[in-house]
Amino acid sequence: MTVSAATHEHANRLAIEGGEPVRTKPLPWELPGAHWIGEEELELVSRVVRAQSPFRFYGPDLQHMVDTLEKEWCAAFGHKHALGVSSGTAALTIAMSALDIGPGDEVLVPGYLWVSCVAAVVRAGAIPKLVDVDDCFTLDPADVERKIGPNTRAALMVHMSGAPGRVADVARICRGRGIALIEDCAQTAGASQNGKAVGTFGDIGIFSFQLNKNMTSGDGGMVVTERDDLFRRIVALHDLGYPRNEKGRLDTSDETCQLWGVGARMSELTGAMCLAQMRKLPQITGNMRSSKWRIRDALADLPGLGFRTVPDPSGDTGPFLLMTLKDEATARRFVDALRAEGIAGPSGSLACLAMREWGMHWYSNIPSLVNKRSDSRNGFPWTHPSNAFGQSYSYAAGALPHCDDLHARGALLTIASTLTPEDEADIIAAVRKVARVVLA
Ligand SMILES: Cc1ncc(COP(=O)(O)O)c(C=O)c1O
């Protein structure tokens, strides 16, 4: 063998089998908004600090960061109402209570979700009912239709991994069957479908600004709705259960709005961070979307590699490339081989994973759901007499066949918002190299 043939063979041999890796430099951290934190965030946060006014409702020199964020959010995405809150998890809990959901009710949830989605249902005293996902990795409209029963009060459409699925179909079914639709847009800030922003299809939408999200303030969230009646309840619930007067003081006099609040206000510091980040959101999501679709298009011809269906790629925000392989063993081998080729982030990042490694995003990986755990001694809400209808519901693996299949043979690549053309070329080269051997 000539020297150059030997070198060529070495470069072609998979790194996992002793060959040369495609790259050795880690890919950038996934965390889309974090890369963009800079002078603008510093300036707005500093204004709040200098004004000594970090509380949104009153203070010596209020800077109205949260107010401005909410106004700009409504203007950017076409919502009638938006309210800054402390987290996406709190936003979900507020949404359940705003819709008056409690014991005796069930809420439809997909099998690919995040633990917060079921936590909100259970904390409200209601019962989650699992619905299968389709090739978009989101609620399957046909299964929503099948699963609606006499106790169903709402469906929670979770726009997972950056892009909405068949949300218009789910919204139409919910309207037709008289149940509410909550959109969990925690992972899709800035996303849309056919020109309509996520969060405008249902009754209430929620967002998260936690570190992994398209824009971030470390922690934070947003609740949106087009309905005045719901917004009034949402405002009271996110605070101390009551509305506030024009001076920002609690108003207990209105008998039509005396609730139990969850203490999830957004501070002015968080509002300042969010405001600076939302102004950068089009650029952040634009970068991820372009990188993701360049990579996906370059891999489209590979036999044995499937992709999540995205009904409207122009509304995708792009932070994840979801892939499917022929079976679980292949998915495992594919991911291990890619990591060995250097398709990995810095230590601690989750850049390249088999779906089996993707924790509490899959219903059967949530121990408190599978084991029907309670935060109280009496087993509430599972033991509540009004919830007897849910006693036969199982949340263990096997409950949702299509979801279980995607869980077993799926893989994901995170798409950082700062990928260079070289990073993209390396990802494409590594997937093509691995596919030649692993998917042969
Ligand atoms: C789909 C989904 N819903 C809800 C949440 C909860 O958001 P947070 O972490 O802000 O409470 C997250 C993120 O963690 C999420 O990914």
Side-chain angles (χ1 to χ4, degrees):
M1 201 186 284
T2 64
V3 173
S4 79
T7 311
H8 184 68
E9 189 191 306
H10 185 57
N12 268 332
R13 192 180 327 143
L14 294 188
I16 201 168
E17 291 166 355
E20 197 182 311
V22 169
R23 63 184 276 140
T24 50
K25 186 175 158 214
L27 289 165
W29 270 94
E30 52 276 17
L31 315 176
H35 292 284
W36 301 74
I37 296 173
E39 288 307 315
E40 299 77 9
E41 286 76 0
L42 203 54
E43 164 56 21
L44 295 187
V45 169
S46 301
R47 271 194 226 164
V48 174
V49 173
R50 280 195 291 267
Q52 300 181 320
S53 294
F55 183 60
R56 75 164 293 183
F57 289 117
Y58 52 81
D61 182 16
L62 204 46
Q63 300 295 299
H64 299 288
M65 293 295 171
V66 185
D67 286 343
T68 310
L69 168 71
E70 292 163 352
K71 278 198 197 88
E72 290 196 15
W73 193 271
C74 285
F77 303 115
H79 300 295
K80 183 162 185 201
H81 300 291
L83 179 77
V85 296
S86 59
S87 73
T89 304
L92 283 165
T93 286
I94 292 161
M96 296 296 155
S97 295
L99 288 164
D100 208 6
I101 287 169
D105 299 333
E106 72 180 10
V107 177
L108 305 183
V109 297
Y112 182 48
L113 75 179
W114 179 238
V115 57
S116 306
C117 304
V118 267
V121 178
V122 171
R123 293 191 70 82
I127 296 294
K129 188 188 222 175
L130 291 172
V131 174
D132 218 337
V133 299
D134 61 14
D135 52 336
C136 303
F137 283 68
T138 57
L139 280 181
D140 174 357
D143 205 35
V144 169
E145 189 90 67
R146 270 193 296 274
K147 295 274 173 67
I148 294 175
N151 296 91
T152 312
R153 285 283 312 285
L156 179 60
M157 178 106 198
V158 191
H159 303 307
M160 289 297 282
S161 308
R166 296 190 171 88
V167 58
D169 292 341
V170 171
R172 188 171 28 73
I173 293 165
C174 290
R175 266 195 308 278
R177 302 287 295 270
I179 66 168
L181 176 63
I182 304 165
E183 291 177 70
D184 180 335
C185 318
Q187 301 187 9
T188 46
S192 62
Q193 193 167 84
N194 302 327
K196 193 169 158 56
V198 291
T200 59
F201 291 85
D203 297 279
I204 299 181
I206 72 96
F207 294 83
S208 164
F209 307 131
Q210 181 267 345
L211 185 63
N212 285 88
K213 306 307 187 290
N214 290 349
M215 52 171 272
T216 187
S217 49
D219 266 315
M222 186 77 88
V223 186
V224 297
T225 183
E226 316 312 308
R227 283 176 48 184
D228 298 343
D229 59 329
L230 285 180
F231 192 61
R232 200 168 128 74
R233 283 174 69 85
I234 288 165
V235 170
L237 286 161
H238 102 291
D239 195 357
L240 293 163
Y242 298 88
R244 286 183 184 261
N245 62 26
E246 62 291 346
K247 294 198 168 68
R249 302 291 172 174
L250 290 165
D251 174 4
T252 57
S253 64
D254 181 351
E255 289 196 4
T256 67
C257 197
Q258 297 171 344
L259 300 165
W260 298 103
V262 299
R265 293 179 301 253
M266 179 180 273
S267 87
E268 283 285 280
L269 291 165
T270 302
M273 281 283 292
C274 285
L275 184 55
Q277 284 267 296
M278 91 152 280
R279 290 172 176 167
K280 300 173 184 178
L281 188 60
Q283 197 171 356
I284 298 168
T285 56
N287 280 16
M288 294 190 296
R289 181 172 48 249
S290 312
S291 290
K292 170 184 162 173
W293 286 89
R294 272 195 294 271
I295 293 168
R296 182 170 156 161
D297 290 347
L299 302 174
D301 62 324
L302 287 178
L305 185 63
F307 296 101
R308 178 243 307 245
T309 300
V310 177
D312 176 14
S314 71
D316 183 0
T317 59
F320 293 93
L321 182 66
L322 302 190
M323 296 167 285
T324 50
L325 292 306
K326 82 168 185 304
D327 54 30
E328 183 169 354
T330 310
R332 184 73 257 177
R333 176 110 181 110
F334 177 72
V335 162
D336 287 345
L338 277 179
R339 284 188 197 147
E341 297 298 339
I343 303 308
S347 165
S349 98
L350 302 174
C352 177
L353 293 178
M355 281 297 190
R356 279 281 182 228
E357 302 171 284
W358 199 216
M360 292 200 287
H361 293 89
W362 296 97
Y363 73 96
S364 55
N365 281 351
I366 304 176
S368 45
L369 177 64
V370 173
N371 300 317
K372 299 188 181 177
R373 297 292 185 217
S374 170
D375 286 351
S376 60
R377 274 196 313 280
N378 67 3
F380 178 85
W382 311 102
T383 51
H384 194 287
S386 303
N387 288 337
F389 66 88
Q391 258 165 25
S392 59
Y393 294 2
S394 165
Y395 305 101
L400 300 176
H402 192 238
C403 194
D404 293 348
D405 180 48
L406 294 177
H407 184 181
R409 62 186 184 85
L412 72 80
L413 267 182
T414 56
I415 305 294
S417 58
T418 54
L419 287 186
T420 63
E422 292 71 35
D423 295 333
E424 290 175 18
D426 284 348
I427 293 171
I428 293 164
V431 174
R432 296 194 77 87
K433 180 181 172 189
V434 165
R436 268 200 304 276
V437 179
V438 175
L439 308 185

